[in-house]
């Protein structure tokens, strides 16, 4: 574990070197989502698998989350982008990296690719979307509703009964984050991207959606905007694809990195199921096809 000072924000970072001790085949920065998410989601699903394949892996808790500091204000999207930029600079990652973003983490990845295109080799966006006016309006509704619900003890008791003690602890922590900070007000007020701004993101993008998620409806729209974007639909999944279907995500990530120039090592080097080369959403059942 490392705690780094990112322009005054104490940030919790985990950095995994390739397990074989050889120079990295690539560098992947894994960006988690909001509220109940943290770098732990990657640590127990994707991070070690990538390190075993020869990838240098950087995971960090975003501001207000996990073991990173929780300032009372400063939660617009640009603040999260500033943090990621500062992290890359602080770790001397001057060359381009692969960004893997889960949920809001993908929104951050799209934002960095628009802001610093020279720093991003590719994006794997899991149940994510760029920041648009529609996204901001949705964030306002969802964060406002979530803040109100998590302030009620009966809601937390329902989570404990229906989803278990671990989910209840995460929900309680999310409620404290919303109660103690300006996140629910700041994020919907973020600067958003125009369609032209989104279309300027020219790095390769793989967008992964659950077939039962409302975000899957944007697959054709995003492919139409981005010059190098494909979509993959994971059957039977809703928003929690990363934690509910980790084997699928692992294989998609490894195939994606291979396709985008990473000389993976170990068992991953023998993968022979490349992702489709044409546009259009592709369904995967047990892995990439």
């Amino acid at each position: 574990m490392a705690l780094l000072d990112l322009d005054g924000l104490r940030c919790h970072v985990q950095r995994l070197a390739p397990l074989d001790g050889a120079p990295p085949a690539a560098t992947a920065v894994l960006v988690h989502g909001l509220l109940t998410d943290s770098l732990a989601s990657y640590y127990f699903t994707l991070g070690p698998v990538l390190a075993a394949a020869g990838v240098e892996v950087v995971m960090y808790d975003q501001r207000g989350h996990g073991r990173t500091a929780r300032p009372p204000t400063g939660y617009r999207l640009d603040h999260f982008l500033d943090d990621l930029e500062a992290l890359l600079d602080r770790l001397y990652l001057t060359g381009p990296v692969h960004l893997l973003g889960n949920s809001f983490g993908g929104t951050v990845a799209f934002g960095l690719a628009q802001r610093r295109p020279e720093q991003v080799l590719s994006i794997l966006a899991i149940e994510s979307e760029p920041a648009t006016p529609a996204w901001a309006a949705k964030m306002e509704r969802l964060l406002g509703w979530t803040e109100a619900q998590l302030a009620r003890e009966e809601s937390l008791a329902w989570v404990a009964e229906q989803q278990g003690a671990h989910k209840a602890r995460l929900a309680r922590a999310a409620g404290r984050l919303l109660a103690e900070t300006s996140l629910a007000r700041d994020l919907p007020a973020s600067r958003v991207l125009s369609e032209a701004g989104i279309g300027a993101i020219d790095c390769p993008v793989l967008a992964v959606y659950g077939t039962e998620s409302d975000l899957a409806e944007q697959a054709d729209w995003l492919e139409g905007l981005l010059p190098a974007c494909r979509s993959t639909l994971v059957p039977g999944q809703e928003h929690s694809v990363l934690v509910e279907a980790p084997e699928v995500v692992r294989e998609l990530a490894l195939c994606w990195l291979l396709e985008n120039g990473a000389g993976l090592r170990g068992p991953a080097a023998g993968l022979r199921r490349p992702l489709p080369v044409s546009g259009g959403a592709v369904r995967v059942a047990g892995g990439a096809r």
Side-chain angles (χ1 to χ4, degrees):
M1 181 184 80
L3 292 174
L4 300 181
D5 182 3
L6 304 182
D7 298 331
L9 179 79
R10 188 194 54 172
C11 182
H12 172 219
V13 182
Q14 292 278 359
R15 194 173 188 178
L16 303 181
L19 292 187
D20 59 9
T27 297
V29 180
L30 281 48
V31 192
H32 69 76
L34 284 174
L35 298 183
T36 58
D37 209 357
S38 71
L39 70 77
S41 295
Y42 286 120
Y43 193 87
F44 292 107
T45 56
L46 191 54
V49 173
L50 296 182
V55 177
E56 177 186 32
V57 179
V58 176
M59 301 171 286
Y60 71 105
D61 285 327
Q62 299 209 69
R63 59 174 51 222
H65 295 74
R67 298 181 179 179
T68 289
R70 179 176 293 177
T73 60
Y75 290 90
R76 295 195 181 195
L77 178 58
D78 277 328
H79 293 108
F80 291 94
L81 294 176
D82 291 344
D83 294 341
L84 179 51
E85 280 192 284
L87 175 65
L88 297 178
D89 292 342
R90 182 73 171 78
L91 296 179
Y92 301 103
L93 295 175
T94 55
V97 301
H98 300 278
L99 293 179
L100 285 72
N102 182 46
S103 191
F104 174 67
T107 306
V108 174
F110 285 122
L112 188 72
Q114 199 274 338
R115 185 193 279 195
R116 285 176 66 169
E118 74 284 354
Q119 193 112 37
V120 182
L121 272 173
S122 76
I123 294 173
L124 195 162
I126 307 165
E127 274 291 305
S128 302
E129 58 188 317
T132 63
W135 167 86
K138 181 168 70 174
M139 287 297 99
E140 184 172 23
R141 292 192 304 272
L142 288 177
L143 291 173
W145 181 86
T146 302
E147 183 176 20
Q149 290 299 310
L150 295 183
R152 302 169 64 231
E153 280 299 324
E154 52 266 41
S155 296
L156 297 169
W158 182 90
V159 173
E161 180 181 347
Q162 298 295 319
Q163 301 180 350
H166 175 64
K167 290 289 183 67
R169 286 193 296 272
L170 293 177
R172 191 173 293 277
R176 288 195 298 269
L177 171 59
L178 291 169
E180 295 170 4
T181 73
S182 59
L183 173 62
R185 269 80 51 204
D186 287 356
L187 200 60
S190 297
R191 180 181 60 86
V192 297
L193 299 176
S194 65
E195 289 200 348
I198 297 169
I201 299 172
D202 60 0
C203 67
V205 174
L206 178 65
V208 179
Y209 308 103
T211 55
E212 309 310 305
S213 167
D214 61 340
L215 286 177
E217 299 176 355
Q218 74 168 10
D220 291 342
W221 168 80
L222 194 61
E223 288 183 3
L225 278 182
L226 296 174
C229 176
R230 296 203 308 277
S231 302
T232 294
L233 304 180
V234 184
Q237 293 298 317
E238 296 181 348
H239 189 60
S240 300
V241 174
L242 176 63
V243 297
E244 298 292 341
E247 297 86 358
V248 174
V249 175
R250 288 172 192 140
E251 191 168 358
L252 285 171
L254 291 169
C255 289
W256 180 246
L257 292 173
L258 277 169
E259 180 180 321
N260 285 282
L264 302 186
R265 303 188 289 269
L271 284 173
R272 290 293 180 268
R273 296 203 290 175
L275 294 164
V277 296
S278 60
V282 178
R283 292 173 179 261
V284 294
R289 291 181 180 171

